[in-house]
Amino acid sequence: MPEVRVEETERGPAIDNGELRIEVHLNKGTFDVIDLRAGRTVLRNAAVAISLRDAPAFQTLGEGVEFAGPADADDAHGRGVSLTLLRETDEDEPEISFTVTLYEDSRSAIVQASVHNTSPVPVRVQAFHVLEAAALDLGAPGKALGFYKHGWQSWSPSLMVDCSGYDVPMSPPVIGPGTQPPPADGRFVSDLMTAIVDPASGYGVVAGFVSAADQFSHVWFDRDAGMLSAVSHADGIELASLSTLASERLYIEPSDTPAETMCRYGDALGREMDALPYDGVTSGWCSWYYYFQGISEAEVLANLDYLAANPGVLPVEYVQIDDGYQAEIGDWLTANEKFPRGMKQLAGEIHARGYKAGLWLAPFIAGARSKLFAEHPDWLVSRTGGPAIALINWDQTCYALDLTHPAVIAWLEELFRTICDDWGYDYVKIDFIFAGAVDGVRYDPNVTRAQAYRRGLETIRDAVGNRFVLACGNPMGPSVGLVDGARVGPDVAPYWHPFGRAESRSTLSEPSALNSIRNTITRFWMHGRLWMNDPDCLLVRETDTALAGDEVRALATVIGLSGGMVLSSDNLPKLSPARQELISLLLPVYGRSAVPLDLFQTPDLPHLFELDCGTHRLLAVFNWADESDETEAPLPPGHWHVFEFWEREYIGLREGSLELPVPPHGCRLLRLTPDLGRPQVIGSTFHITQGAAEIAGEKWDGSTLLVHLRPVAKQDGELFLWRPDGVQTVRIERLTAERTIEA
Ligand code: 9PG
C-alpha cells in the first residue's frame, strides 16, 4: 500500500492511504470515513464525546475542534500517520481530544479518545463515546441490514440479527455487564465489536475495539436514525488534576468481504493484546457432560484406564476433572467424599498413565455455603445492601470476589500454586470468571471492572506459569493475552434444543447442542488469533442422550471444522465402537478454523461452513430446520469432484452449485477436490479433514498414483480414488506408521 498522505483542505485536515480517507471538519468537530475503493462515505459526521460521572456529556459535535498536527504512528499495526484533534474548550471544562490513524499496510482506521483534567480537583470519568452517533451509509436502508451481535462472555449468544426485527435480549444465565444502553425498538447492541452488513450486496463495516485491557466496550446501531456509536467504559474511575486518561482503541474497516475483515480485526486485537502463541491445539477428556456433579474418583479412573488401554484410537492429551470434586464453591482445596484419596493422588494416577491432568474451579466466586464466604465476608465486591451476587447456581447464592483486594490476590496465588506445583495439575479450567468483572464497589475504588478482572487473571497466569489455562464464562476482550484457550459458546448438552423444547430468543445462552454450535460457528474469527477456541465437548454416546445420529454428526462436524479444542465428555467404556470412532475422526486436532460462507446472508445460524485445506476444500452444509430440506451448496469457480464424507458417496464432477437433501438437524460434509483430469484422491474416511491430517503427499507419475499416508487416530479406513473408469475404493488396515499406497 502507498504511504499515508496528509492534506489540508478548507474544512480541515485529511489523511488517505489510497484505500481509506479520513476528512476532518474543524468547524463541526467531526470526521468522515470514506471508502475510496467503493466511492462511499461510510461514516459521516462522526463525533467524539466524554461523560463524567453525574455530569452532562462533553462532545465535539457542534463545538468544533482544533488540529494539533499530524504525527507518525508506528504501532502493532505498522507504520502510519495520526491526526490529533482537540475540542474547543470553555473554561472549567475538561480537555477532550481524539486521534485518528491510518496505516500503510492496513485497510482499517483506528480512533481513540482522551480526556485531560484541567481542574484542580479530580473528576470521575464514566465513558468515552469514541464514535457518537456517526451516520452509517452502506447503500441500503437500516431495516435491510444485518447486525452481528457479539456477546459479552463465553455463554452469551453471538449471531447475525436481522435489523428489520428486534435485538436479542441478554438473558440468564448471563449476567449482563450493566453498562449497555437499555434495549429499545430499533436499537442493536454488541459487546466489543460488530459487523453491520447489507446482505444483498455483501458490503459492510467491521467496527470493534482492538484494545480491551482497561475498559469494557460496546458498539451499537440505531437502525431508524442510521447511526453507529461505540463506547468505552471507564466506570467512573478518578482522574487526578492535570492527568490524562484514554479510551480503548476502535478499529473501523469497510469491506465487501466482511468475514475476512472480522479475521483481520481478530488479528489486530490479538496483536494489541499480545495473544498467547501455541504449537498444537489441545485435546482431552472432560468429566462434566456425562457425570455432571456426580463425578467420582472411581469414574475418573474407569475412563482413564479405558483411554490408557486404547491409546492409539483416542490419543488425547488431558484428562480433566470438572465440577463435583470440591467440598464447596470456594473451598477448592478440600475434596468431598467422592474423592477419598484427594486430588493430588488423582493427578498422580493420571500422570502414571501418561496423561496430563486438568482441574475445574470457579476461582472468582464464593458460594453462600462455603467456608471461604463464612471466613472472609470482606473479600467480596459489594453493592448497596450487601455483597454483589455473581449468580445463583448449585442451590445457593454465589458472590463475586473482589480481585483488587490484596488478601484475595494472595489467596488466589496460593490456591493456584497448590493446585499446580503441589498437586501437579497441568491444566486449569477457570469457570464463571465473569464474576471478577461484575459491577460494584471494590477495595481499590480506582480500578475499572476490566482492570479488576485482569488483576485476577494475571495472578492466575503468574502462579501457573506455562501450564494450560482454559477460560470459561469469561468476558472476551480483557481475557486476550492471559489465557491459552477460551470457551466461545454456551454449554453443549445431550439434547438439541434448550430444555428439549423449541428454541426461543430468550434461551440462546442455555445449555443445548444447538446453542453451543451457533457460537462455535459465529465466533470462528477468534480461533488462533486471540487463543484457541473451545467449542465445548463432543458428545457421541447412544445411551443417556436425546441426540439423534444426525445431530451427533452435525456436532462432530462443527467441532472438527472449527479447528478448536477437541474434548470428549462421554462415559468412554460404554461407547460402541462406531460411536468411539466419531471421536477418533477428530484426532489429531487439525487446528484451523472454517469460515461461515453465508454468515451475513442468513440471520441466526449460517448453513455453510468452509475450510480450505490446500489440496482440497471441505464444505459442511447444515439443515437447522426440524424437517428435511434441500440446501444449496455453492462451489468455488472451476470443476470439482464432490465426495460426501458421512454417507461415503461420490456425488460427481460438478461446477456452479448443487442442491443437496440434508436431514433435519443434520449435515452433509463435502470434500471438494479440484479436477486434475487424471487419477486422484477424492475422499478418505480416516479423519474429518479427509486428507489434511492423514495424506502427506500425492503423486501421479503417468501410470501410478502414489499416496503417502501418515498415521492418525483411526487405523482402518478407505481412500476413494477417481479414475477415468470410475471411483475406486482402497481399503487400508492398521495404518500405524507412514505408508505409501500405490494404485
Ligand atoms: C460446571 C459447568 C461446566 C460447564 C461450564 C459451566 O448459569 N448457570 O447456572 C450455569 C451453570 C453451569 C454452567 C454455566 C452456567 O456451565 O460451562 O462446562 O464446567 O459450569 O458447573
Side-chain angles (χ1 to χ4, degrees), residues 37 57-59 63 88 90 165 167 179 268 293 323 352 366 452 549 564 574 595 603 633 696 706 711:
R37 280 208 299 211
F58 300 96
Q59 46 180 342
E63 295 294 326
E88 304 280 355
D90 290 338
D167 194 0
T179 43
Q293 278 209 301
D323 183 4
K574 270 179 83 175
V595 175
L706 299 171

Side-chain angles (χ1 to χ4, degrees), residues 155 173-174 288-289 293 322-323 360 391-394 429 431-432 472-473 487 491 536:
W155 309 323
V174 178
W288 181 249
Y289 296 94
Q293 278 209 301
D322 214 282
D323 183 4
W360 172 95
L391 84 160
I392 296 173
N393 192 17
W394 306 280
K429 174 177 175 184
D431 203 354
F432 296 91
C472 188
R487 257 286 281 292
D491 287 17
D536 209 7

Side-chain angles (χ1 to χ4, degrees), residues 517-571:
I517 283 172
R518 175 183 299 103
N519 273 32
T520 300
I521 297 178
T522 59
R523 280 180 163 158
F524 72 100
W525 57 272
M526 295 180 156
H527 178 63
R529 300 188 168 88
L530 310 184
W531 44 55
M532 52 181 103
N533 277 8
D534 170 12
D536 209 7
C537 296
L538 175 61
L539 312 181
V540 300
R541 57 192 180 253
E542 285 165 294
T543 56
D544 310 293
T545 181
L547 291 175
D550 281 318
E551 295 170 336
V552 172
R553 283 180 174 181
L555 181 63
T557 303
V558 170
I559 295 173
L561 265 59
S562 77
M565 296 167 64
V566 174
L567 302 169
S568 149
S569 192
D570 282 311
N571 178 346

Side-chain angles (χ1 to χ4, degrees), residues 297 321 325 333 335 339 341-351 357 359 418-425:
E297 180 187 296
I321 302 148
Y325 68 89
L333 296 181
F339 289 78
R341 293 186 297 160
M343 304 316 287
K344 179 173 179 170
Q345 175 84 17
L346 190 49
E349 302 273 359
I350 294 170
H351 289 151
L359 194 66
T418 303
I419 290 171
C420 292
D421 293 344
D422 180 19
W423 290 2
Y425 284 87

Side-chain angles (χ1 to χ4, degrees), residues 364 403 412 430 433 452-462 469 471 478-480 482-483:
F364 296 167
L403 303 175
L412 265 181
I430 52 171
I433 55 176
Y453 171 77
R454 273 181 78 91
R455 284 193 187 176
L457 271 193
E458 279 161 2
T459 304
I460 295 172
R461 176 42 78 195
D462 287 349
V469 176
S479 303
V480 183
L482 295 172
V483 302

